[in-house]
mmCIF file of all heavy atoms in Angstrom:
data_model
loop_
_atom_site.group_PDB
_atom_site.id
_atom_site.type_symbol
_atom_site.label_atom_id
_atom_site.label_comp_id
_atom_site.label_asym_id
_atom_site.label_seq_id
_atom_site.Cartn_x
_atom_site.Cartn_y
_atom_site.Cartn_z
ATOM 1 N N LYS A 124 -11.484 25.036 14.599
ATOM 2 C CA LYS A 124 -12.931 25.252 14.704
ATOM 3 C C LYS A 124 -13.340 26.662 14.307
ATOM 4 O O LYS A 124 -14.444 26.885 13.820
ATOM 5 C CB LYS A 124 -13.437 24.911 16.104
ATOM 6 C CG LYS A 124 -12.903 25.781 17.208
ATOM 7 C CD LYS A 124 -13.298 25.224 18.584
ATOM 8 C CE LYS A 124 -12.371 24.132 19.033
ATOM 9 N NZ LYS A 124 -12.779 23.430 20.230
ATOM 10 N N VAL A 148 -11.846 16.797 13.916
ATOM 11 C CA VAL A 148 -10.786 16.414 14.855
ATOM 12 C C VAL A 148 -11.175 16.766 16.287
ATOM 13 O O VAL A 148 -10.818 16.053 17.227
ATOM 14 C CB VAL A 148 -9.461 17.137 14.490
ATOM 15 C CG1 VAL A 148 -8.398 16.928 15.562
ATOM 16 C CG2 VAL A 148 -8.954 16.656 13.137
ATOM 17 N N ASP A 149 -11.909 17.843 16.452
ATOM 18 C CA ASP A 149 -12.361 18.246 17.780
ATOM 19 C C ASP A 149 -12.988 17.002 18.430
ATOM 20 O O ASP A 149 -13.794 16.315 17.803
ATOM 21 C CB ASP A 149 -13.414 19.362 17.606
ATOM 22 C CG ASP A 149 -13.365 20.363 18.732
ATOM 23 O OD1 ASP A 149 -12.741 20.070 19.759
ATOM 24 O OD2 ASP A 149 -13.978 21.438 18.582
ATOM 25 N N SER A 150 -12.599 16.705 19.665
ATOM 26 C CA SER A 150 -12.954 15.399 20.238
ATOM 27 C C SER A 150 -14.468 15.167 20.255
ATOM 28 O O SER A 150 -14.929 14.053 19.987
ATOM 29 C CB SER A 150 -12.374 15.269 21.647
ATOM 30 O OG SER A 150 -12.839 16.325 22.453
ATOM 31 N N GLU A 151 -15.240 16.224 20.526
ATOM 32 C CA GLU A 151 -16.700 16.075 20.587
ATOM 33 C C GLU A 151 -17.269 15.745 19.209
ATOM 34 O O GLU A 151 -18.137 14.887 19.059
ATOM 35 C CB GLU A 151 -17.349 17.379 21.083
ATOM 36 C CG GLU A 151 -16.981 17.775 22.509
ATOM 37 C CD GLU A 151 -15.593 18.386 22.633
ATOM 38 O OE1 GLU A 151 -14.910 18.572 21.596
ATOM 39 O OE2 GLU A 151 -15.170 18.663 23.769
ATOM 40 N N HIS A 152 -16.793 16.462 18.207
ATOM 41 C CA HIS A 152 -17.329 16.292 16.851
ATOM 42 C C HIS A 152 -16.841 15.000 16.238
ATOM 43 O O HIS A 152 -17.543 14.349 15.474
ATOM 44 C CB HIS A 152 -16.964 17.520 16.017
ATOM 45 C CG HIS A 152 -17.414 18.779 16.708
ATOM 46 N ND1 HIS A 152 -16.723 19.268 17.796
ATOM 47 C CD2 HIS A 152 -18.486 19.571 16.523
ATOM 48 C CE1 HIS A 152 -17.365 20.342 18.255
ATOM 49 N NE2 HIS A 152 -18.432 20.546 17.490
ATOM 50 N N LEU A 172 -23.439 17.437 23.133
ATOM 51 C CA LEU A 172 -22.014 17.768 23.283
ATOM 52 C C LEU A 172 -21.676 17.735 24.762
ATOM 53 O O LEU A 172 -22.344 18.403 25.559
ATOM 54 C CB LEU A 172 -21.743 19.189 22.773
ATOM 55 C CG LEU A 172 -21.872 19.480 21.286
ATOM 56 C CD1 LEU A 172 -21.764 20.986 21.052
ATOM 57 C CD2 LEU A 172 -20.779 18.753 20.510
ATOM 58 N N THR A 173 -20.651 16.997 25.123
ATOM 59 C CA THR A 173 -20.223 17.037 26.513
ATOM 60 C C THR A 173 -19.165 18.124 26.693
ATOM 61 O O THR A 173 -18.437 18.465 25.761
ATOM 62 C CB THR A 173 -19.651 15.675 26.973
ATOM 63 O OG1 THR A 173 -18.622 15.289 26.072
ATOM 64 C CG2 THR A 173 -20.734 14.619 27.034
ATOM 65 N N TRP A 201 -7.378 18.246 29.826
ATOM 66 C CA TRP A 201 -6.731 18.239 28.519
ATOM 67 C C TRP A 201 -5.524 19.171 28.525
ATOM 68 O O TRP A 201 -5.547 20.218 29.163
ATOM 69 C CB TRP A 201 -7.688 18.747 27.431
ATOM 70 C CG TRP A 201 -8.926 17.953 27.209
ATOM 71 C CD1 TRP A 201 -10.133 18.139 27.823
ATOM 72 C CD2 TRP A 201 -9.128 16.865 26.283
ATOM 73 N NE1 TRP A 201 -11.054 17.230 27.335
ATOM 74 C CE2 TRP A 201 -10.461 16.446 26.392
ATOM 75 C CE3 TRP A 201 -8.287 16.221 25.371
ATOM 76 C CZ2 TRP A 201 -10.985 15.402 25.629
ATOM 77 C CZ3 TRP A 201 -8.811 15.187 24.611
ATOM 78 C CH2 TRP A 201 -10.152 14.781 24.746
ATOM 79 N N MET A 203 -3.659 21.647 26.045
ATOM 80 C CA MET A 203 -4.007 22.283 24.765
ATOM 81 C C MET A 203 -3.279 23.615 24.633
ATOM 82 O O MET A 203 -2.681 24.108 25.584
ATOM 83 C CB MET A 203 -5.524 22.555 24.709
ATOM 84 C CG MET A 203 -6.388 21.342 25.011
ATOM 85 S SD MET A 203 -8.162 21.697 24.924
ATOM 86 C CE MET A 203 -8.421 22.681 26.394
ATOM 87 N N ILE A 207 -7.351 28.009 23.165
ATOM 88 C CA ILE A 207 -8.468 27.092 23.405
ATOM 89 C C ILE A 207 -8.599 26.776 24.902
ATOM 90 O O ILE A 207 -9.708 26.544 25.396
ATOM 91 C CB ILE A 207 -8.370 25.801 22.552
ATOM 92 C CG1 ILE A 207 -9.598 24.906 22.779
ATOM 93 C CG2 ILE A 207 -7.107 25.030 22.785
ATOM 94 C CD1 ILE A 207 -9.657 23.660 21.925
ATOM 95 N N SER A 211 -11.964 27.232 26.970
ATOM 96 C CA SER A 211 -12.570 26.184 27.791
ATOM 97 C C SER A 211 -12.957 26.746 29.151
ATOM 98 O O SER A 211 -13.989 26.388 29.714
ATOM 99 C CB SER A 211 -11.616 25.009 27.979
ATOM 100 O OG SER A 211 -11.359 24.403 26.746
ATOM 101 N N ASN A 216 -15.469 27.916 24.339
ATOM 102 C CA ASN A 216 -15.113 26.756 23.514
ATOM 103 C C ASN A 216 -16.353 25.916 23.203
ATOM 104 O O ASN A 216 -16.546 25.484 22.062
ATOM 105 C CB ASN A 216 -14.052 25.909 24.227
ATOM 106 C CG ASN A 216 -13.588 24.743 23.374
ATOM 107 O OD1 ASN A 216 -13.248 24.927 22.204
ATOM 108 N ND2 ASN A 216 -13.600 23.539 23.928
ATOM 109 N N LYS A 217 -17.189 25.695 24.205
ATOM 110 C CA LYS A 217 -18.392 24.882 23.951
ATOM 111 C C LYS A 217 -19.364 25.632 23.058
ATOM 112 O O LYS A 217 -20.066 25.032 22.248
ATOM 113 C CB LYS A 217 -19.033 24.477 25.275
ATOM 114 C CG LYS A 217 -19.679 23.116 25.298
ATOM 115 C CD LYS A 217 -18.839 21.972 24.720
ATOM 116 C CE LYS A 217 -17.485 21.798 25.359
ATOM 117 N NZ LYS A 217 -16.734 20.637 24.819
ATOM 118 N N GLU A 220 -18.142 25.238 19.685
ATOM 119 C CA GLU A 220 -18.387 23.845 19.265
ATOM 120 C C GLU A 220 -19.847 23.600 18.893
ATOM 121 O O GLU A 220 -20.149 22.759 18.043
ATOM 122 C CB GLU A 220 -17.938 22.882 20.365
ATOM 123 C CG GLU A 220 -16.424 22.868 20.493
ATOM 124 C CD GLU A 220 -15.872 21.877 21.497
ATOM 125 O OE1 GLU A 220 -16.671 21.223 22.202
ATOM 126 O OE2 GLU A 220 -14.646 21.756 21.582
ATOM 127 N N GLU A 223 -19.964 24.901 15.457
ATOM 128 C CA GLU A 223 -19.213 23.933 14.645
ATOM 129 C C GLU A 223 -20.084 22.708 14.346
ATOM 130 O O GLU A 223 -20.158 22.244 13.193
ATOM 131 C CB GLU A 223 -17.956 23.538 15.445
ATOM 132 C CG GLU A 223 -16.975 22.642 14.721
ATOM 133 C CD GLU A 223 -15.816 22.178 15.631
ATOM 134 O OE1 GLU A 223 -15.823 22.455 16.851
ATOM 135 O OE2 GLU A 223 -14.913 21.513 15.104
ATOM 136 N N HIS A 246 -17.071 11.544 25.073
ATOM 137 C CA HIS A 246 -16.677 12.748 24.327
ATOM 138 C C HIS A 246 -17.836 13.418 23.619
ATOM 139 O O HIS A 246 -17.697 14.561 23.187
ATOM 140 C CB HIS A 246 -15.511 12.415 23.395
ATOM 141 C CG HIS A 246 -14.313 12.022 24.197
ATOM 142 N ND1 HIS A 246 -13.794 12.838 25.170
ATOM 143 C CD2 HIS A 246 -13.584 10.883 24.239
ATOM 144 C CE1 HIS A 246 -12.784 12.231 25.758
ATOM 145 N NE2 HIS A 246 -12.636 11.037 25.211
ATOM 146 N N MET A 265 -5.825 13.917 22.656
ATOM 147 C CA MET A 265 -6.210 14.293 21.290
ATOM 148 C C MET A 265 -5.676 13.332 20.230
ATOM 149 O O MET A 265 -6.151 13.311 19.100
ATOM 150 C CB MET A 265 -5.752 15.721 20.981
ATOM 151 C CG MET A 265 -6.612 16.811 21.582
ATOM 152 S SD MET A 265 -8.365 16.644 21.144
ATOM 153 C CE MET A 265 -8.322 17.039 19.400
HETATM 154 MG MG1 MG B 2 -13.481 20.037 21.832
#
Side-chain angles (χ1 to χ4, degrees):
K124 64 189 82 188
V148 171
D149 213 345
S150 57
E151 296 77 3
H152 306 75
L172 292 171
T173 54
W201 298 91
M203 308 180 288
I207 183 176
S211 296
N216 184 49
K217 215 48 56 177
E220 290 184 355
E223 186 186 6
H246 296 305
M265 282 306 290

